[in-house]
């Protein structure tokens, strides 16, 4: 008699019956509750997990299965939104009437989903060099006279970020009001986080962890609902936002350094009405974490950007996340893809489309639109990277051009170009995390000048990428195909 048989004989019959009953009960309850108000693809994903691992899967679902924040936090978000001055509404209405009809539809959709009104008179500078972006932020902070509002998903203290951290300390020391927000789990896993905490505390600078997960201190919410925004506002006059975090290009992980991985990011320096809108987003997140309302405080006179008039570059700030309109980013991107007439260019480190986005893109190709995707050849997030790879064959067969940025560089820029008319640039990836689980911020920019500047960036990416062919992709090893297909099953979980 083998060991398994001995153990089986040692288990009392009532234990076996009890475990079977619990197993069956979990499956039946899951079958009737998980599909409620959930997309079928997401429901099937969770049911698959629970049917394979009933007890463990049920516990994971209870922990992660509801993409919602505590009611108190949602109430705070609504309270700040009600107190936010949207700017000159009449100017926004007049500007909307001058925009092309297709762009005006996009603006109205965004505003319906909680975006700020569109406004003109912006001066936008695209900074696509990693170190130059950090240097520009540090320079803006050093010039602060009234306040600095600093909010990033990942922020650490390391030699690369030293100019930024030192500028924050120096501004605080000379009496400038400096407030710092950083995502708790987003930052805590990286070398340099503890050093940053010590420096912020040592300077006596007001700062908070966003969405902290410290149940022993009474701080808890669903742990994978994160604040993925990147916002810097100085004196209400200039702001930065985009895809770049405040950390070394290697992200300080030993495994990244062994592989020689280097991140490529992007930020936008903003002057104009959007600065106040970005500041309102910071005020919302600060109020949620501190109960301190700073909306409208510490404001310096806002100068008009040089070289732009009232009709200058039009821009709309697009917040998204739990507690706001559900899947507003997904609605925006699908509408953009459906209305494109000439070309669609997407750059995203994580491209894991749901059924609606995939169908919209393949339909665009059928209408004669050229669709190009720019993604990294490598990534530090294995599960998402393999889920992304599982779509490559379908996309190539549908006539979509896939450009993979060569390793060891990790392409982390996030933007969309539609014809020559509009661009969306910001923090949002093209996956379920950014559509449902993360707080994000994007900019819709209207104007050929900005689109042309992004086209220059795309041309540079193309030089360092190779277009993936179908034969090359089908020839990859069998075990990679297995990993890709398995990871795909997680792409709909939310």
């Amino acid at each position: 008699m083998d060991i398994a048989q001995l153990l089986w004989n040692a288990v009392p019959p009532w234990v076996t019956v009890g475990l079977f009953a619990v197993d069956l009960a979990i499956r039946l309850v899951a079958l009737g509750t998980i599909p409620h108000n959930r997309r079928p693809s997401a429901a099937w994903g969770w049911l698959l997990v629970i049917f394979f691992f009933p007890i463990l899967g049920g516990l994971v679902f209870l922990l992660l299965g509801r993409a919602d924040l505590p009611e108190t936090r949602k109430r705070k978000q609504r309270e700040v939104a009600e107190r936010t001055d949207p700017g000159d509404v009449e100017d926004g209405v007049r500007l909307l009437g001058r925009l092309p009809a297709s762009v005006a539809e996009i603006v109205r959709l965004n505003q319906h989903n909680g975006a700020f009104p569109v406004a003109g008179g912006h001066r936008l500078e695209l900074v696509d060099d990693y170190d130059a972006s950090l240097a520009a932020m540090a320079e803006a902070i050093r010039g602060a006279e009234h306040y600095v509002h600093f909010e990033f998903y990942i922020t650490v203290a390391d030699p690369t970020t030293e100019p930024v951290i030192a500028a924050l300390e120096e501004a605080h020391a000379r009496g400038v009001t400096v407030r710092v927000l950083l995502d708790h789990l987003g930052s805590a896993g990286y070398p340099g986080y503890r050093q940053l905490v010590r420096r912020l505390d040592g300077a006596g600078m007001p700062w908070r962890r966003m969405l902290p997960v410290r149940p022993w201190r009474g701080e808890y919410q669903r742990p994978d609902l994160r604040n993925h925004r990147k916002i810097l506002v100085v004196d209400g006059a200039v702001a930065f936002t985009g895809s770049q975090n405040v950390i070394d290009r290697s992200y300080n992980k030993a495994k990244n350094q062994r592989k020689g991985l280097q991140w490529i990011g992007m930020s936008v320096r903003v002057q104009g009405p959007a600065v106040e809108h970005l500041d309102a987003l910071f005020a919302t997140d600060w109020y949620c974490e501190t109960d301190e309302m700073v909306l409208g405080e510490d404001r310096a006179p806002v100068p008009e950007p040089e070289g732009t008039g009232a009709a200058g570059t039009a821009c709309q700030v697009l917040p998204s996340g739990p507690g706001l309109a559900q899947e507003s980013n997904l609605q925006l991107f699908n509408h953009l893809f459906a209305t494109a007439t000439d070309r669609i260019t997407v750059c995203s480190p994580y491209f894991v489309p749901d059924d609606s986005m995939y169908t919209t893109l393949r339909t665009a190709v059928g209408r004669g639109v050229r669709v190009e995707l720019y993604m990294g050849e490598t990534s530090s997030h294995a599960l998402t990277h393999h889920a992304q790879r599982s779509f490559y064959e379908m996309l190539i067969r549908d006539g979509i051009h896939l450009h993979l940025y060569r390793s060891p560089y990790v392409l982390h820029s996030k933007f969309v170009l539609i014809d020559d008319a509009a661009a969306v640039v910001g923090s949002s990836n093209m996956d379920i995390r950014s559509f449902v689980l993360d707080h994000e911020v994007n900019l819709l920019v209207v104007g050929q000048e900005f689109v042309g500047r992004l086209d220059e960036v795309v041309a540079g990416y193309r030089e360092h990428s190779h277009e993936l062919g179908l034969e090359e992709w089908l020839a990859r090893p069998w075990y990679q195909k297995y990993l890709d297909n398995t990871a795909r099953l997680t792409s709909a979980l939310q």
Side-chain angles (χ1 to χ4, degrees):
M1 184 178 295
D2 59 20
I3 296 177
Q5 187 65 40
L6 287 173
L7 292 174
W8 177 260
N9 292 336
V11 176
W14 64 267
V15 173
T16 303
V17 173
L19 290 174
F20 176 79
V22 170
D23 180 285
L24 181 61
I26 291 174
R27 294 171 190 252
L28 291 176
V29 171
L31 192 64
T33 58
I34 287 178
H36 177 67
N37 288 339
R38 195 182 301 271
R39 291 184 301 172
S41 57
W44 277 116
W46 279 113
L47 288 173
L48 183 66
V49 172
I50 290 174
F51 270 60
F52 267 101
F53 311 102
I55 295 177
L56 178 61
L59 292 175
V60 172
F61 177 78
L62 291 176
L63 182 66
L64 304 178
R66 188 165 179 256
D68 205 1
L69 291 169
E71 186 59 38
T72 54
R73 192 178 190 93
K74 291 190 290 184
R75 175 185 55 77
K76 289 180 178 180
Q77 291 180 170
R78 292 192 298 268
E79 185 177 343
V80 179
E82 291 169 359
R83 297 179 58 172
T84 299
D85 180 5
D88 193 327
V89 177
E90 291 185 3
D91 278 354
V93 172
R94 286 194 294 268
L95 177 59
L96 191 61
R98 293 195 297 268
L99 295 175
S102 59
V103 176
E105 286 183 359
I106 297 165
V107 170
R108 282 192 288 267
L109 171 64
N110 292 335
Q111 200 159 340
H112 172 76
N113 285 337
F116 291 89
V118 67
H122 289 93
R123 183 179 183 181
L124 305 177
E125 179 185 350
L126 193 62
V127 188
D128 63 325
D129 180 271
Y130 198 98
D131 293 335
S133 178
L134 294 176
M137 293 181 198
E139 181 182 6
I141 296 169
R142 286 194 299 269
E145 297 179 359
H146 299 272
Y147 71 93
V148 175
H149 287 163
F150 181 97
E151 173 181 344
F152 283 81
Y153 176 60
I154 300 174
T155 306
V156 302
D158 62 35
T160 301
T161 66
E162 178 60 25
V164 176
I165 307 305
L168 291 172
E169 292 173 326
E170 186 271 337
H172 173 72
R174 58 187 170 85
V176 174
T177 300
V178 179
R179 298 182 176 98
V180 174
L181 289 172
L182 51 98
D183 187 81
H184 181 200
L185 298 188
S187 296
Y190 291 93
Y193 167 73
R194 295 186 183 278
Q195 293 91 319
L196 174 69
V197 169
R198 285 196 294 269
R199 290 180 65 170
L200 294 176
D201 286 340
M205 198 180 305
W207 75 280
R208 289 293 188 278
R209 299 170 177 88
M210 294 186 290
L211 298 166
V213 180
R214 299 189 296 180
W216 59 93
R217 297 193 179 188
E219 300 172 343
Y220 185 80
Q221 53 272 312
R222 175 173 164 174
D224 64 335
L225 299 183
R226 307 315 316 158
N227 195 316
H228 197 239
R229 293 170 180 159
K230 291 91 175 169
I231 299 172
L232 170 64
V233 179
V234 178
D235 290 345
V238 62
F240 290 79
T241 191
S243 66
Q244 186 167 327
N245 291 297
V246 182
I247 189 171
D248 182 77
R249 292 185 66 181
S250 69
Y251 275 50
N252 292 334
K253 293 289 186 72
K255 62 178 182 179
N256 298 340
Q257 293 166 348
R258 285 195 301 270
K259 297 177 181 178
L261 298 185
Q262 296 283 301
W263 267 246
I264 295 174
M266 174 183 293
S267 63
V268 182
R269 185 180 187 273
V270 183
Q271 290 177 279
V275 174
E276 185 173 350
H277 298 162
L278 290 167
D279 209 12
L281 278 185
F282 176 91
T284 301
D285 294 332
W286 184 262
Y287 183 49
C288 287
E289 302 299 348
T290 67
D291 292 326
E292 178 189 8
M293 179 68 72
V294 299
L295 193 66
E297 294 183 2
D298 308 312
R299 293 208 179 276
V302 179
E304 184 173 330
E306 299 176 5
T308 61
T313 303
C315 185
Q316 187 179 30
V317 175
L318 316 175
S320 64
L324 300 174
Q326 280 296 306
E327 301 183 7
S328 58
N329 285 347
L330 179 61
Q331 292 182 44
L332 164 65
F333 293 133
N334 279 346
H335 185 79
L336 288 170
F337 299 156
T339 56
T341 58
D342 180 46
R343 51 124 179 188
I344 297 168
T345 303
V346 177
C347 180
S348 178
Y350 310 115
F351 183 83
V352 187
D354 75 339
D355 291 343
S356 66
M357 179 172 285
Y358 168 69
T359 300
T360 305
L361 284 173
R362 74 180 294 206
T363 302
V365 174
R367 293 188 288 108
V369 177
R370 180 177 177 86
V371 180
E372 292 189 328
L373 304 183
Y374 287 82
M375 299 167 287
E377 191 175 60
T378 187
S379 172
S380 62
H381 294 280
L383 187 62
T384 306
H385 187 59
H386 280 289
Q388 170 178 289
R389 285 160 50 100
S390 72
F391 289 89
Y392 288 177
E393 180 181 344
M394 295 169 56
L395 295 170
I396 295 171
R397 290 186 184 278
D398 288 328
I400 295 172
H401 301 271
L402 271 60
H403 302 272
L404 302 185
Y405 202 101
R406 298 186 187 278
S407 61
Y409 295 98
V410 179
L411 187 58
H412 195 248
S413 303
K414 312 162 199 288
F415 58 83
V416 171
L417 297 178
I418 301 298
D419 302 328
D420 293 325
V424 176
V425 59
S427 67
S428 179
N429 296 307
M430 295 283 184
D431 63 3
I432 201 65
R433 286 208 56 83
S434 285
F435 296 153
V436 177
L437 305 179
D438 287 342
H439 292 79
E440 306 282 4
V441 59
N442 292 308
L443 295 177
L444 170 68
V445 183
V446 182
Q448 292 185 1
E449 182 180 354
F450 189 79
V451 172
R453 177 68 182 93
L454 274 172
D455 276 333
E456 294 175 3
V457 173
V458 172
Y461 289 173
R462 189 181 300 116
E463 290 181 2
H464 293 89
S465 304
H466 78 280
E467 184 171 351
L468 185 63
L470 184 60
E471 291 186 8
E472 173 192 352
W473 186 240
L474 294 178
R476 72 193 190 281
W478 69 267
Y479 63 88
Q480 292 186 9
K481 297 177 183 178
Y482 182 86
L483 291 173
D484 296 343
N485 294 335
T486 304
R488 184 176 182 136
L489 297 175
T490 68
S491 63
L493 294 182
Q494 55 174 276

